[in-house]
């Protein structure tokens, strides 16, 4: 099965929404299947991520133009109401690790929509998996440290196909951990995406992939997929 690549643009626009089209364009050209943003996080008056209908329209129009799927992490009830009333049929949603633990009621409301939903479990500390009664979710292995160093990746699946996880949401420096996940059977990869790793506006830039890195990641991943398909 081909790997699905999510470019987590998140807040890497730094509150300059004029950067959104360029971030989407370069994510698409780097091989990402999905451009993902966060809705309902740091979105108060004067905050960096105050997205409304105008910004959602900007995201959707440019994703459609560049041939990449738009997707949002839904982090608050207001954000969920906004995206449902927006008038565009999003194919999928994302539920962040924080939401799973801090607002499980919202997570259930999202899952009840019946759309395919990616679920990161970086903050989940229980041995059993959450929301197992829903068949429209995809679990992503995740370590919620920013950045995450190799020795922090506790519990990294030896074989994703034999684990509860379908994919991997990555916060490490570089792309090596992502390639390891793909070699071990991950079919979904989420990696933060930036135009400038040295940007100090938010900490996410340092652990993000540049367009060059993201493109290399996709290229090497496709090569690994071909080898795996041969049973090597």
């Amino acid at each position: 099965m081909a790997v699905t690549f999510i470019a987590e643009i998140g807040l890497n626009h730094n509150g300059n929404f004029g950067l959104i089209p360029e971030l989407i364009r370069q994510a698409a050209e780097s091989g990402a299947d999905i451009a993902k943003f966060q809705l309902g996080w740091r979105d108060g008056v004067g905050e960096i991520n105050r997205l409304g209908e105008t910004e959602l329209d900007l995201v959707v129009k440019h994703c459609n133009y560049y041939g990449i799927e738009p997707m949002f992490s839904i982090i608050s009830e207001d954000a969920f109401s906004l995206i449902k009333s927006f008038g565009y049929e999003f194919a999928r949603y994302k539920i962040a690790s924080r939401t799973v633990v801090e607002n499980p009621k919202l997570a259930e409301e999202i899952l009840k929509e019946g759309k395919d939903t990616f679920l990161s479990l970086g903050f989940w500390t229980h041995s059993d998996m959450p929301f197992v009664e829903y068949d429209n979710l995809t679990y992503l292995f995740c370590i919620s440290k920013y950045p995450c160093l190799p020795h922090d990746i506790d519990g990294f699946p030896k074989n994703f196909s034999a684990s509860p996880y379908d994919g991997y949401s990555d916060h490490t420096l570089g792309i090596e951990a992502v390639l390891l996940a793909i070699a071990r059977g991950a079919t979904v990869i989420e990696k933060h995406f930036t135009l400038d790793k040295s940007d100090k506006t938010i900490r996410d830039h340092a652990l993000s992939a540049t367009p060059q890195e993201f493109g290399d990641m996709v290229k090497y991943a496709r090569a690994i997929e071909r080898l795996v398909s041969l049973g090597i």
Side-chain angles (χ1 to χ4, degrees):
M1 180 182 292
V3 175
T4 298
F5 287 95
I6 304 168
E8 159 65 304
I9 294 171
L11 279 62
N12 281 353
H13 48 71
N14 296 333
N16 177 2
F17 302 139
L19 278 179
I20 286 176
E22 182 64 6
L23 283 158
I24 291 170
R25 182 184 74 84
Q26 296 216 33
E29 292 186 356
S30 300
D33 301 291
I34 298 171
K36 200 204 85 174
F37 295 82
Q38 298 179 24
L39 197 61
W41 179 247
R42 294 185 67 178
D43 63 340
V45 175
E47 288 193 289
I48 192 173
N49 197 44
R50 191 167 176 80
L51 303 179
E53 289 191 2
T54 299
E55 289 72 38
L56 265 64
D57 187 61
L58 184 71
V59 168
V60 167
K61 284 182 176 177
H62 284 84
C63 282
N64 288 342
Y65 181 78
Y66 290 112
I68 187 170
E69 180 185 329
M71 188 173 72
F72 286 88
S73 287
I74 311 299
I75 303 176
S76 71
E77 286 81 0
D78 287 344
F80 194 35
S81 296
L82 172 62
I83 207 163
K84 286 193 296 181
S85 65
F86 176 61
Y88 177 83
E89 191 65 30
F90 291 92
R92 292 180 269 202
Y93 293 133
K94 170 72 189 296
I95 299 175
S97 299
R98 184 182 305 277
T99 306
V100 172
V101 174
E102 296 181 356
N103 198 345
K105 182 179 177 182
L106 173 60
E108 285 217 59
E109 289 301 313
I110 294 168
L111 288 165
K112 285 176 182 176
E113 286 282 292
K115 294 183 180 182
D116 291 340
T117 302
F118 297 109
L119 196 81
S120 284
L121 293 176
F123 288 151
W124 188 252
T125 58
H126 305 284
S127 58
D128 56 327
M129 306 300 281
F131 313 118
V132 294
E133 63 271 29
Y134 296 95
D135 60 5
N136 58 315
L137 55 76
T138 296
Y139 293 119
L140 303 183
F141 180 81
C142 178
I143 301 293
S144 294
K145 293 184 179 180
Y146 307 86
C148 177
L149 299 177
H151 62 264
D152 293 323
I153 310 178
D154 185 41
F156 198 85
K158 299 293 185 183
N159 181 351
F160 278 79
S161 300
S163 79
Y165 302 101
D166 295 292
Y168 173 49
S169 180
D170 178 71
H171 297 133
T172 63
L173 303 173
I175 63 173
E176 294 85 352
V178 165
L179 297 177
L180 178 61
I182 292 167
R184 291 182 176 183
T187 58
V188 179
I189 294 295
E190 180 180 51
K191 178 73 175 175
H192 285 249
F193 184 81
T194 184
L195 302 179
D196 182 4
K197 291 169 72 76
S198 68
D199 193 312
K200 298 178 181 179
T201 307
I202 59 172
R203 63 182 177 180
D204 289 355
H205 289 287
L207 56 90
S208 300
T210 63
Q212 178 68 52
E213 288 173 318
F214 204 98
D216 287 345
M217 180 179 72
V218 173
K219 178 180 69 175
Y220 297 141
R222 299 306 183 206
I224 291 170
E225 284 181 294
R226 290 193 292 272
L227 291 173
V228 170
S229 71
L230 296 173
I232 295 174

